[in-house]
Amino acid sequence: MENIKAWADEVFDKIEKKLSRTAPAVGDTMFPYTTENGRFVNPYNDDWWTNGFWIGILWKMYLATDNEMYRKYAEKLEEKLDKVIEEFIFLNHDVGFMWLLSSVINHRITGDETAARRGLHMATVLAGRFNIAGNFIRAWNCAPDAEEHNAGWVIIDSMMNIPLLYWASRETNDPRFYNTATAHADTLLKHAIRPDGSVKHIMVFDPETGEYIKNITGQSYDVDGAWSRGQAWAIYGFTLSYIHTGKIEYLDAAKRIAHYFISALPEDNIPPCDFRSPKEPVYKDTTAGACAACGLIELSKVVPEGESDVYLNAAIKMLRAMEETCCDWSDSEDSILGMGTEAYHHGMKNVPIIYGDYFFIEAIMKLRGDKKDMLFW
Ligand code: GLY
Protein backbone atom coordinates (compact mmCIF):
# COMPACT_ATOMS: atom_id res chain seq x y z
CA MET A 1 0.00 0.00 0.00
CA GLU A 2 3.00 2.32 0.58
CA ASN A 3 3.85 2.01 -3.12
CA ILE A 4 0.31 2.85 -4.09
CA LYS A 5 0.31 5.94 -1.90
CA ALA A 6 3.61 7.05 -3.46
CA TRP A 7 2.16 6.45 -6.94
CA ALA A 8 -1.00 8.41 -6.05
CA ASP A 9 1.14 11.28 -4.70
CA GLU A 10 3.04 11.36 -7.99
CA VAL A 11 -0.18 11.41 -10.00
CA PHE A 12 -1.56 14.12 -7.73
CA ASP A 13 1.47 16.32 -8.49
CA LYS A 14 0.61 16.01 -12.19
CA ILE A 15 -3.04 16.81 -11.47
CA GLU A 16 -2.03 19.90 -9.52
CA LYS A 17 0.30 21.08 -12.30
CA LYS A 18 -2.46 20.68 -14.87
CA LEU A 19 -5.15 22.37 -12.75
CA SER A 20 -2.89 25.29 -11.82
CA ARG A 21 -2.93 26.12 -15.55
CA THR A 22 -6.49 25.17 -16.54
CA ALA A 23 -8.38 26.63 -13.53
CA PRO A 24 -7.28 30.25 -14.23
CA ALA A 25 -7.75 29.70 -17.98
CA VAL A 26 -11.37 28.64 -17.41
CA GLY A 27 -11.86 31.19 -14.61
CA ASP A 28 -15.54 31.82 -13.94
CA THR A 29 -16.53 31.85 -17.58
CA MET A 30 -17.77 28.31 -18.26
CA PHE A 31 -18.46 24.78 -17.03
CA PRO A 32 -15.98 22.60 -18.96
CA TYR A 33 -17.45 19.46 -20.54
CA THR A 34 -15.09 18.06 -23.18
CA THR A 35 -12.24 19.48 -25.29
CA GLU A 36 -11.86 20.56 -28.90
CA ASN A 37 -8.34 21.00 -30.25
CA GLY A 38 -7.16 20.46 -26.69
CA ARG A 39 -9.19 23.31 -25.16
CA PHE A 40 -12.18 22.97 -22.84
CA VAL A 41 -15.56 23.56 -24.43
CA ASN A 42 -19.16 22.98 -23.40
CA PRO A 43 -21.56 22.29 -26.24
CA TYR A 44 -24.50 22.22 -23.80
CA ASN A 45 -26.46 24.86 -21.87
CA ASP A 46 -25.89 25.97 -18.29
CA ASP A 47 -28.63 23.57 -17.13
CA TRP A 48 -26.65 20.53 -18.33
CA TRP A 49 -26.44 17.77 -15.70
CA THR A 50 -22.64 17.71 -15.60
CA ASN A 51 -22.15 21.35 -14.63
CA GLY A 52 -21.33 20.59 -11.00
CA PHE A 53 -18.33 18.38 -11.75
CA TRP A 54 -15.81 21.12 -12.55
CA ILE A 55 -16.91 22.97 -9.40
CA GLY A 56 -16.38 19.73 -7.45
CA ILE A 57 -12.87 19.46 -8.88
CA LEU A 58 -12.14 23.04 -7.78
CA TRP A 59 -13.32 22.31 -4.21
CA LYS A 60 -11.26 19.10 -4.07
CA MET A 61 -8.21 21.08 -5.18
CA TYR A 62 -8.95 23.79 -2.61
CA LEU A 63 -9.04 21.19 0.18
CA ALA A 64 -5.85 19.52 -1.02
CA THR A 65 -3.79 22.69 -1.60
CA ASP A 66 -5.36 25.55 0.45
CA ASN A 67 -5.03 27.64 -2.71
CA GLU A 68 -7.73 30.36 -2.54
CA MET A 69 -7.86 30.59 -6.33
CA TYR A 70 -9.80 27.30 -6.49
CA ARG A 71 -12.29 28.43 -3.88
CA LYS A 72 -12.86 31.77 -5.62
CA TYR A 73 -13.70 30.14 -8.98
CA ALA A 74 -15.85 27.45 -7.33
CA GLU A 75 -17.94 30.12 -5.56
CA LYS A 76 -18.34 32.23 -8.71
CA LEU A 77 -19.42 29.27 -10.84
CA GLU A 78 -21.91 28.16 -8.17
CA GLU A 79 -23.52 31.63 -8.44
CA LYS A 80 -23.72 31.18 -12.20
CA LEU A 81 -25.95 28.13 -11.63
CA ASP A 82 -28.56 30.34 -9.92
CA LYS A 83 -30.00 31.18 -13.34
CA VAL A 84 -30.87 27.48 -13.75
CA ILE A 85 -32.65 27.48 -10.38
CA GLU A 86 -34.65 30.56 -11.37
CA GLU A 87 -35.65 29.04 -14.71
CA PHE A 88 -36.89 25.91 -12.83
CA ILE A 89 -38.22 24.18 -15.96
CA PHE A 90 -34.95 22.33 -16.67
CA LEU A 91 -34.45 21.01 -13.13
CA ASN A 92 -34.70 17.21 -12.97
CA HIS A 93 -33.34 14.18 -11.08
CA ASP A 94 -29.79 15.45 -11.80
CA VAL A 95 -30.02 18.30 -9.29
CA GLY A 96 -28.08 15.96 -7.00
CA PHE A 97 -25.07 15.83 -9.30
CA MET A 98 -25.24 19.59 -9.84
CA TRP A 99 -25.77 21.01 -6.36
CA LEU A 100 -24.17 18.34 -4.19
CA LEU A 101 -20.82 19.00 -5.85
CA SER A 102 -21.26 22.80 -5.73
CA SER A 103 -23.46 24.27 -2.97
CA VAL A 104 -23.42 21.35 -0.53
CA ILE A 105 -19.64 21.07 -0.64
CA ASN A 106 -19.37 24.84 -0.26
CA HIS A 107 -21.61 24.75 2.81
CA ARG A 108 -19.78 21.78 4.32
CA ILE A 109 -16.39 23.42 3.87
CA THR A 110 -17.13 27.10 4.52
CA GLY A 111 -20.47 27.07 6.38
CA ASP A 112 -21.91 29.45 3.76
CA GLU A 113 -25.63 29.88 4.47
CA THR A 114 -26.63 30.89 0.93
CA ALA A 115 -25.03 27.69 -0.34
CA ALA A 116 -26.98 25.66 2.26
CA ARG A 117 -30.24 27.29 1.09
CA ARG A 118 -29.45 26.35 -2.52
CA GLY A 119 -28.72 22.77 -1.47
CA LEU A 120 -31.95 22.48 0.55
CA HIS A 121 -33.96 24.06 -2.24
CA MET A 122 -32.63 21.46 -4.69
CA ALA A 123 -33.17 18.58 -2.22
CA THR A 124 -36.80 19.74 -2.05
CA VAL A 125 -37.02 19.70 -5.84
CA LEU A 126 -35.55 16.18 -5.92
CA ALA A 127 -37.89 14.89 -3.21
CA GLY A 128 -40.81 16.54 -5.03
CA ARG A 129 -40.19 14.18 -7.96
CA PHE A 130 -41.09 11.16 -5.83
CA ASN A 131 -43.99 9.09 -7.15
CA ILE A 132 -45.83 7.71 -4.12
CA ALA A 133 -47.67 4.98 -6.12
CA GLY A 134 -44.42 3.35 -7.28
CA ASN A 135 -41.95 4.55 -4.61
CA PHE A 136 -39.52 6.05 -7.11
CA ILE A 137 -37.98 9.36 -8.08
CA ARG A 138 -38.89 10.12 -11.65
CA ALA A 139 -36.09 10.59 -14.22
CA TRP A 140 -35.95 13.57 -16.64
CA ASN A 141 -38.92 15.69 -17.79
CA CYS A 142 -41.01 15.90 -20.90
CA ALA A 143 -43.77 18.09 -22.28
CA PRO A 144 -47.20 16.97 -20.99
CA ASP A 145 -48.27 16.18 -24.57
CA ALA A 146 -45.04 14.38 -25.57
CA GLU A 147 -45.43 11.34 -27.84
CA GLU A 148 -43.47 9.07 -25.52
CA HIS A 149 -44.41 10.11 -22.00
CA ASN A 150 -41.69 9.37 -19.47
CA ALA A 151 -43.42 10.15 -16.15
CA GLY A 152 -42.84 6.52 -15.10
CA TRP A 153 -39.16 6.29 -16.05
CA VAL A 154 -36.53 5.57 -13.42
CA ILE A 155 -32.78 5.32 -14.07
CA ILE A 156 -29.90 3.68 -12.22
CA ASP A 157 -27.90 6.96 -12.41
CA SER A 158 -30.25 8.36 -9.74
CA MET A 159 -28.43 6.34 -7.07
CA MET A 160 -25.73 9.03 -7.26
CA ASN A 161 -28.28 11.85 -6.87
CA ILE A 162 -29.98 10.68 -3.68
CA PRO A 163 -27.01 11.48 -1.40
CA LEU A 164 -28.36 15.06 -1.68
CA LEU A 165 -31.40 13.81 0.25
CA TYR A 166 -29.30 12.11 2.94
CA TRP A 167 -27.48 15.41 3.43
CA ALA A 168 -30.75 17.39 3.58
CA SER A 169 -32.13 15.09 6.28
CA ARG A 170 -29.04 15.59 8.43
CA GLU A 171 -29.09 19.33 7.81
CA THR A 172 -32.77 19.80 8.73
CA ASN A 173 -33.04 16.97 11.24
CA ASP A 174 -36.12 15.85 9.25
CA PRO A 175 -36.34 12.19 8.15
CA ARG A 176 -38.62 12.91 5.16
CA PHE A 177 -35.64 13.31 2.82
CA TYR A 178 -33.96 10.16 4.16
CA ASN A 179 -37.21 8.19 3.85
CA THR A 180 -37.63 9.34 0.25
CA ALA A 181 -34.07 8.30 -0.58
CA THR A 182 -34.39 4.84 0.95
CA ALA A 183 -37.84 4.21 -0.60
CA HIS A 184 -36.32 5.01 -4.00
CA ALA A 185 -33.20 2.89 -3.34
CA ASP A 186 -35.43 -0.03 -2.25
CA THR A 187 -37.34 0.18 -5.55
CA LEU A 188 -34.09 0.03 -7.53
CA LEU A 189 -32.84 -2.79 -5.32
CA LYS A 190 -35.93 -4.77 -6.35
CA HIS A 191 -36.11 -3.91 -10.05
CA ALA A 192 -32.72 -2.71 -11.36
CA ILE A 193 -30.39 -5.58 -10.47
CA ARG A 194 -30.41 -8.79 -12.52
CA PRO A 195 -29.61 -12.19 -10.97
CA ASP A 196 -26.09 -12.12 -12.51
CA GLY A 197 -25.27 -8.80 -10.77
CA SER A 198 -25.51 -6.59 -13.86
CA VAL A 199 -27.89 -3.62 -13.76
CA LYS A 200 -30.43 -2.21 -16.19
CA HIS A 201 -30.33 1.42 -17.25
CA ILE A 202 -33.95 2.62 -17.64
CA MET A 203 -36.88 1.02 -15.85
CA VAL A 204 -40.43 1.88 -16.87
CA PHE A 205 -43.26 1.95 -14.31
CA ASP A 206 -46.91 2.83 -14.71
CA PRO A 207 -46.93 6.34 -13.21
CA GLU A 208 -50.59 6.00 -12.12
CA THR A 209 -50.48 2.60 -10.41
CA GLY A 210 -46.74 2.34 -9.74
CA GLU A 211 -46.59 -1.13 -11.33
CA TYR A 212 -43.24 -2.18 -12.86
CA ILE A 213 -43.63 -2.72 -16.62
CA LYS A 214 -40.24 -3.35 -18.27
CA ASN A 215 -36.74 -2.04 -18.83
CA ILE A 216 -35.57 -0.27 -21.96
CA THR A 217 -32.16 0.19 -23.59
CA GLY A 218 -31.19 3.74 -22.61
CA GLN A 219 -27.44 4.23 -23.01
CA SER A 220 -26.71 0.48 -23.21
CA TYR A 221 -26.00 -1.61 -26.32
CA ASP A 222 -29.44 -3.20 -26.15
CA VAL A 223 -32.23 -3.88 -23.71
CA ASP A 224 -30.25 -6.71 -22.06
CA GLY A 225 -27.03 -4.68 -22.10
CA ALA A 226 -24.68 -3.89 -19.24
CA TRP A 227 -23.85 -0.20 -19.77
CA SER A 228 -20.61 0.17 -17.84
CA ARG A 229 -21.27 3.65 -16.47
CA GLY A 230 -24.64 2.43 -15.22
CA GLN A 231 -22.86 -0.41 -13.42
CA ALA A 232 -20.46 2.16 -11.95
CA TRP A 233 -23.29 4.47 -10.79
CA ALA A 234 -24.82 1.41 -9.10
CA ILE A 235 -21.62 0.21 -7.37
CA TYR A 236 -20.86 3.64 -5.97
CA GLY A 237 -24.51 4.57 -5.41
CA PHE A 238 -25.46 1.47 -3.39
CA THR A 239 -22.20 1.74 -1.42
CA LEU A 240 -23.09 5.35 -0.56
CA SER A 241 -26.62 4.39 0.45
CA TYR A 242 -25.07 1.77 2.75
CA ILE A 243 -22.69 4.34 4.22
CA HIS A 244 -25.58 6.77 4.86
CA THR A 245 -28.07 4.21 6.23
CA GLY A 246 -26.21 1.14 7.46
CA LYS A 247 -28.77 -1.05 5.61
CA ILE A 248 -26.97 -4.31 4.80
CA GLU A 249 -29.12 -4.94 1.66
CA TYR A 250 -27.43 -1.96 0.00
CA LEU A 251 -23.97 -3.27 0.84
CA ASP A 252 -24.86 -6.73 -0.49
CA ALA A 253 -26.18 -5.14 -3.69
CA ALA A 254 -23.02 -3.06 -4.17
CA LYS A 255 -20.89 -6.20 -3.71
CA ARG A 256 -22.94 -8.24 -6.18
CA ILE A 257 -22.74 -5.51 -8.85
CA ALA A 258 -19.02 -5.05 -8.16
CA HIS A 259 -18.42 -8.80 -8.65
CA TYR A 260 -20.15 -8.63 -12.04
CA PHE A 261 -18.16 -5.51 -13.01
CA ILE A 262 -14.78 -6.92 -11.95
CA SER A 263 -15.34 -10.24 -13.72
CA ALA A 264 -16.48 -8.52 -16.93
CA LEU A 265 -13.45 -6.20 -17.16
CA PRO A 266 -11.35 -6.84 -20.29
CA GLU A 267 -7.64 -7.63 -20.15
CA ASP A 268 -6.59 -3.98 -20.51
CA ASN A 269 -8.62 -3.11 -17.36
CA ILE A 270 -10.46 -0.29 -19.15
CA PRO A 271 -14.23 -0.79 -19.38
CA PRO A 272 -15.97 -0.79 -22.74
CA CYS A 273 -19.10 1.39 -22.98
CA ASP A 274 -21.21 -1.77 -22.59
CA PHE A 275 -19.81 -5.04 -21.24
CA ARG A 276 -22.23 -6.97 -23.48
CA SER A 277 -21.56 -5.13 -26.75
CA PRO A 278 -19.66 -6.66 -29.69
CA LYS A 279 -15.84 -6.23 -29.51
CA GLU A 280 -15.94 -3.90 -32.55
CA PRO A 281 -16.29 -0.96 -32.83
CA VAL A 282 -14.19 -0.17 -29.79
CA TYR A 283 -16.04 2.28 -27.55
CA LYS A 284 -14.17 2.61 -24.27
CA ASP A 285 -15.56 4.43 -21.26
CA THR A 286 -12.99 5.64 -18.77
CA THR A 287 -15.70 7.62 -16.95
CA ALA A 288 -17.14 4.24 -15.91
CA GLY A 289 -13.69 3.05 -14.83
CA ALA A 290 -13.01 6.16 -12.75
CA CYS A 291 -16.44 6.21 -11.09
CA ALA A 292 -16.37 2.47 -10.41
CA ALA A 293 -12.87 2.88 -8.92
CA CYS A 294 -14.24 5.45 -6.44
CA GLY A 295 -17.09 3.11 -5.50
CA LEU A 296 -14.77 0.11 -5.16
CA ILE A 297 -12.36 2.04 -2.92
CA GLU A 298 -15.24 3.07 -0.62
CA LEU A 299 -16.56 -0.50 -0.71
CA SER A 300 -13.13 -1.81 0.30
CA LYS A 301 -13.32 0.36 3.44
CA VAL A 302 -16.68 -0.99 4.66
CA VAL A 303 -16.32 -4.75 4.09
CA PRO A 304 -14.50 -7.06 6.53
CA GLU A 305 -10.71 -6.77 6.22
CA GLY A 306 -10.37 -10.15 4.52
CA GLU A 307 -12.63 -9.08 1.65
CA SER A 308 -11.24 -5.61 1.17
CA ASP A 309 -8.39 -6.31 -1.29
CA VAL A 310 -10.72 -7.73 -3.96
CA TYR A 311 -12.30 -4.30 -4.38
CA LEU A 312 -9.25 -2.14 -3.72
CA ASN A 313 -7.02 -4.08 -6.12
CA ALA A 314 -9.61 -3.91 -8.90
CA ALA A 315 -9.82 -0.13 -8.43
CA ILE A 316 -6.04 0.26 -8.46
CA LYS A 317 -5.67 -1.87 -11.60
CA MET A 318 -8.18 0.29 -13.48
CA LEU A 319 -6.67 3.56 -12.27
CA ARG A 320 -3.13 2.50 -13.20
CA ALA A 321 -4.27 1.31 -16.62
CA MET A 322 -6.11 4.57 -17.27
CA GLU A 323 -3.16 6.65 -16.07
CA GLU A 324 -0.76 4.77 -18.33
CA THR A 325 -2.85 4.77 -21.49
CA CYS A 326 -5.58 7.45 -21.33
CA CYS A 327 -4.21 10.44 -19.37
CA ASP A 328 -2.73 13.46 -21.10
CA TRP A 329 -0.50 15.54 -18.83
CA SER A 330 0.70 17.93 -21.53
CA ASP A 331 -0.15 21.63 -21.81
CA SER A 332 -1.64 21.08 -25.24
CA GLU A 333 -4.65 19.31 -23.69
CA ASP A 334 -6.90 20.83 -21.00
CA SER A 335 -8.52 17.61 -19.85
CA ILE A 336 -6.76 14.82 -17.98
CA LEU A 337 -8.57 11.60 -18.86
CA GLY A 338 -9.48 10.72 -22.45
CA MET A 339 -11.56 7.84 -23.87
CA GLY A 340 -14.92 8.56 -22.28
CA THR A 341 -18.13 7.69 -24.11
CA GLU A 342 -21.54 9.31 -23.64
CA ALA A 343 -23.71 6.39 -24.79
CA TYR A 344 -23.49 3.35 -27.06
CA HIS A 345 -25.88 4.50 -29.79
CA HIS A 346 -25.65 8.26 -29.64
CA GLY A 347 -23.37 11.07 -28.55
CA MET A 348 -19.61 11.42 -28.27
CA LYS A 349 -17.31 8.39 -28.23
CA ASN A 350 -13.76 7.95 -26.95
CA VAL A 351 -13.35 11.59 -25.86
CA PRO A 352 -12.52 13.38 -22.60
CA ILE A 353 -15.63 14.07 -20.49
CA ILE A 354 -15.48 16.20 -17.36
CA TYR A 355 -16.92 13.62 -14.98
CA GLY A 356 -14.12 11.26 -16.04
CA ASP A 357 -11.63 13.85 -14.75
CA TYR A 358 -13.73 14.43 -11.62
CA PHE A 359 -13.89 10.75 -10.59
CA PHE A 360 -10.27 10.10 -11.57
CA ILE A 361 -9.16 12.97 -9.31
CA GLU A 362 -11.48 11.81 -6.53
CA ALA A 363 -10.08 8.27 -6.74
CA ILE A 364 -6.46 9.44 -6.68
CA MET A 365 -7.20 11.61 -3.64
CA LYS A 366 -8.79 8.63 -1.88
CA LEU A 367 -5.63 6.58 -2.51
CA ARG A 368 -3.44 9.39 -1.15
CA GLY A 369 -5.43 9.31 2.10
CA ASP A 370 -5.01 13.05 2.73
CA LYS A 371 -6.73 13.78 6.08
CA LYS A 372 -8.36 16.93 4.67
CA ASP A 373 -10.01 15.03 1.80
CA MET A 374 -13.76 14.53 2.28
CA LEU A 375 -16.42 12.14 0.98
CA PHE A 376 -18.59 14.72 -0.76
CA TRP A 377 -21.43 12.35 -1.73
N1 GLY B 1 -26.31 10.43 -16.02
C1 GLY B 1 -26.17 10.42 -17.43
C2 GLY B 1 -25.01 9.63 -17.89
O1 GLY B 1 -24.39 8.92 -17.14
O2 GLY B 1 -24.70 9.75 -19.07
Side-chain angles (χ1 to χ4, degrees):
M1 200 53 207
E2 269 311 297
N3 282 349
I4 290 303
K5 194 188 162 338
W7 174 77
D9 284 341
E10 256 172 52
V11 178
F12 178 76
D13 289 345
K14 295 192 250 186
I15 291 171
E16 191 182 3
K17 185 162 172 280
K18 167 102 36 169
L19 266 295
S20 66
R21 180 181 69 74
T22 55
V26 169
D28 57 11
T29 60
M30 70 176 301
F31 305 100
Y33 181 75
T34 185
T35 59
E36 270 172 26
N37 301 319
R39 295 295 158 247
F40 276 135
V41 291
N42 193 339
Y44 301 113
N45 294 331
D46 283 355
D47 53 60
W48 191 240
W49 71 279
T50 62
N51 286 349
F53 285 104
W54 177 252
I55 303 178
I57 290 174
L58 294 171
W59 281 118
K60 284 208 99 64
M61 292 307 293
Y62 172 66
L63 276 184
T65 64
D66 290 324
N67 184 338
E68 288 291 328
M69 167 188 76
Y70 294 116
R71 170 181 169 154
K72 187 181 83 188
Y73 291 136
E75 287 171 343
K76 286 264 187 235
L77 286 167
E78 180 187 333
E79 280 171 27
K80 207 169 150 69
L81 285 178
D82 281 352
K83 188 163 73 70
V84 185
I85 301 181
E86 279 159 30
E87 283 169 355
F88 180 76
I89 192 81
F90 299 110
L91 298 174
N92 62 25
H93 66 275
D94 281 326
V95 295
F97 278 122
M98 295 173 76
W99 278 277
L100 198 78
L101 294 181
S102 53
S103 303
V104 172
I105 298 180
N106 182 356
H107 174 66
R108 284 178 64 190
I109 294 177
T110 70
D112 186 279
E113 286 303 323
T114 306
R117 273 195 294 278
R118 289 184 185 113
L120 289 174
H121 188 174
M122 291 304 103
T124 306
V125 166
L126 186 58
R129 301 179 64 82
F130 188 71
N131 183 321
I132 199 169
N135 281 319
F136 60 79
I137 292 170
R138 178 211 174 150
W140 299 301
N141 301 321
C142 67
D145 57 354
E147 217 168 272
E148 187 174 30
H149 208 277
N150 61 14
W153 288 18
V154 181
I155 56 174
I156 194 66
D157 324 31
S158 58
M159 287 303 296
M160 292 299 290
N161 281 287
I162 59 174
L164 179 65
L165 302 177
Y166 295 126
W167 167 80
S169 259
R170 286 195 304 274
E171 200 52 32
T172 57
N173 204 14
D174 181 340
R176 282 177 307 144
F177 296 104
Y178 176 102
N179 291 342
T180 305
T182 53
H184 176 77
D186 289 347
T187 299
L188 289 188
L189 196 59
K190 185 162 169 208
H191 293 291
I193 311 169
R194 302 187 184 104
D196 70 353
S198 68
V199 295
K200 308 164 190 170
H201 182 201
I202 302 179
M203 281 130 289
V204 180
F205 292 78
D206 182 324
E208 308 285 344
T209 64
E211 186 197 352
Y212 176 75
I213 302 173
K214 60 178 179 181
N215 82 284
I216 54 176
T217 300
Q219 285 157 253
S220 317
Y221 171 67
D222 65 14
V223 73
D224 301 317
W227 174 47
S228 59
R229 192 160 64 252
Q231 318 302 299
W233 295 142
I235 295 171
Y236 203 1
F238 277 108
T239 302
L240 290 166
S241 271
Y242 172 69
I243 291 170
H244 289 297
T245 67
K247 285 179 82 170
I248 197 76
E249 308 91 280
Y250 300 153
L251 178 64
D252 290 343
K255 286 168 71 173
R256 194 142 59 88
I257 304 159
H259 300 161
Y260 170 75
F261 191 103
I262 294 168
S263 64
L265 265 179
E267 233 167 73
D268 65 3
N269 287 309
I270 300 183
C273 171
D274 190 313
F275 288 118
R276 293 200 180 116
S277 61
K279 291 217 166 82
E280 303 279 340
V282 179
Y283 298 149
K284 286 290 187 184
D285 190 11
T286 53
T287 71
C291 174
C294 288
L296 291 168
I297 295 170
E298 290 302 326
L299 193 49
S300 77
K301 295 179 192 166
V302 293
V303 293
E305 200 186 338
E307 290 183 344
S308 163
D309 284 355
V310 173
Y311 307 108
L312 184 59
N313 289 341
I316 291 169
K317 266 195 220 158
M318 282 195 288
L319 291 166
R320 292 196 85 131
M322 289 190 284
E323 203 277 322
E324 271 163 33
T325 60
C326 305
C327 284
D328 188 330
W329 301 111
S330 73
D331 286 353
S332 54
E333 172 61 43
D334 282 352
S335 72
I336 293 172
L337 187 61
M339 299 302 280
T341 289
E342 287 188 325
Y344 195 89
H345 292 290
H346 57 266
M348 302 176 203
K349 317 269 192 268
N350 299 329
V351 295
I353 312 180
I354 196 63
Y355 44 89
D357 277 16
Y358 173 82
F359 285 110
F360 183 79
I361 292 170
E362 182 179 314
I364 294 300
M365 289 193 182
K366 287 184 199 299
L367 292 182
R368 291 183 78 213
D370 183 339
K371 291 267 177 300
K372 284 183 292 175
D373 191 34
M374 286 163 67
L375 182 62
F376 286 160
W377 300 96

